[in-house]
Amino acid sequence: MVEAEIPADHPRHDSLVTRHRVEAGVEKGITSRQGLIAQGRGEAFDYLLGERTIPSADAAARAAAAHLLLADHPVVAVNGNAAALVPAELVDLADAVGADLEVNLFNRTDERIRAIADHLREHGAREVKGMAADARIPNLAHERAKVDADGIADADVVLVPLEDGDRAAALADLGKVELVIDLNPLSRSAQVADVPIVDNILRAVPRITAHARDLADADRAELERLVAEFDPDATLAAAERAIRGGDLDYSSG
Ligand code: ATP
């Protein structure tokens, strides 16, 4: 079955679409096979969250939008899963907040970086960083440490969707404001984030963009208030409560 053939009223529609996109990403050489495993883990948490955006995740998406709008140099990092799942949406977000897009891979090969950059360009991106790899994140092994000097290395705010825990921690140690999208509130990436968005990347990225457009005319004081009032620990606790709540109806799936 191709993606367009998945019935819209299928109870697991979104999860089937997601699987198809990650699979197609592997076939196209933009997603690693490890990415299939990461997707499986995410899917389990999405199931437990009821495959919906919980209110605390929406508030986190709004705080993330405020951070991106306040930033001097925001960067949206793109890995193989993110590129397979939401390429056009990432381009749209970067446009809305004036961010750079930088391909940043755990299993880095120049070939895959190029394939992802091409894929993003096919979806409207003008400039894509990540090929220069002329700077390093300290405290990480060689290949995983590579970033662009005029990209992530220079950024004050970085959005890292589905980041691996070690790299998320290393970026946080650099003092950058880190916005993380991760369905698992217990993952190290979510735990070290300044703003953990516990939501499916499919829903989270367009939501951050919508908040950014809504806040486009907000004054600095309002954006700073949103940032100051955001509480990452309370956000993670709310996600854990939603998962443990058990008030969801899974019978249709
Ligand atoms: P950590 O090292 O941060 O503790 P991890 O080793 O589980 O976590 P990975 O397996 O490298 O991290 O990355 C996968 C992460 O991405 C998982 O935490 C998973 O929940 C999350 N994830 C996978 N698919 C999605 C998705 N579609 N939307 C949001 N998060 C996702």
Side-chain angles (χ1 to χ4, degrees), residues 116-198:
I116 292 175
D118 288 346
H119 186 65
L120 290 171
R121 283 192 206 97
E122 280 163 26
H123 287 86
R126 285 179 300 277
E127 200 196 343
V128 182
K129 294 189 167 157
M131 279 305 289
D134 47 0
R136 301 279 178 275
I137 306 171
N139 303 323
L140 283 179
H142 190 64
E143 284 305 302
R144 297 165 59 201
K146 288 182 175 175
V147 288
D148 280 16
D150 64 351
I152 288 174
D154 177 62
D156 54 344
V157 176
V158 188
L159 173 70
V160 282
L162 326 188
E163 184 55 280
D164 134 83
D166 280 354
R167 286 205 309 181
L171 279 175
D173 288 346
L174 278 182
K176 298 185 189 301
V177 172
E178 198 167 6
L179 319 171
V180 166
I181 300 170
D182 194 321
L183 277 159
N184 178 3
L186 303 172
S187 82
R188 284 173 301 153
S189 312
Q191 305 262 341
V192 299
D194 295 280
V195 179
I197 304 161
V198 183

Side-chain angles (χ1 to χ4, degrees), residues 29 53 102 140:
T53 300
E102 177 165 340
L140 283 179

Side-chain angles (χ1 to χ4, degrees), residues 16-92:
L16 291 178
V17 167
T18 308
R19 286 181 192 182
H20 269 277
R21 287 193 192 166
V22 177
E23 200 182 355
V26 173
E27 276 160 16
K28 211 174 162 186
I30 60 178
T31 310
S32 72
R33 279 180 296 169
Q34 290 278 323
L36 293 166
I37 298 165
Q39 171 55 32
R41 174 140 43 187
E43 195 172 284
F45 280 99
D46 207 14
Y47 186 84
L48 293 170
L49 282 163
E51 295 173 355
R52 67 195 163 125
T53 300
I54 57 175
S56 57
D58 180 57
R62 196 163 177 82
H67 268 295
L68 289 164
L69 290 169
L70 282 169
D72 289 328
H73 183 190
V75 173
V76 174
V78 184
N79 68 8
N81 283 53
L85 290 171
V86 282
E89 292 83 351
L90 288 167
V91 173
D92 198 27

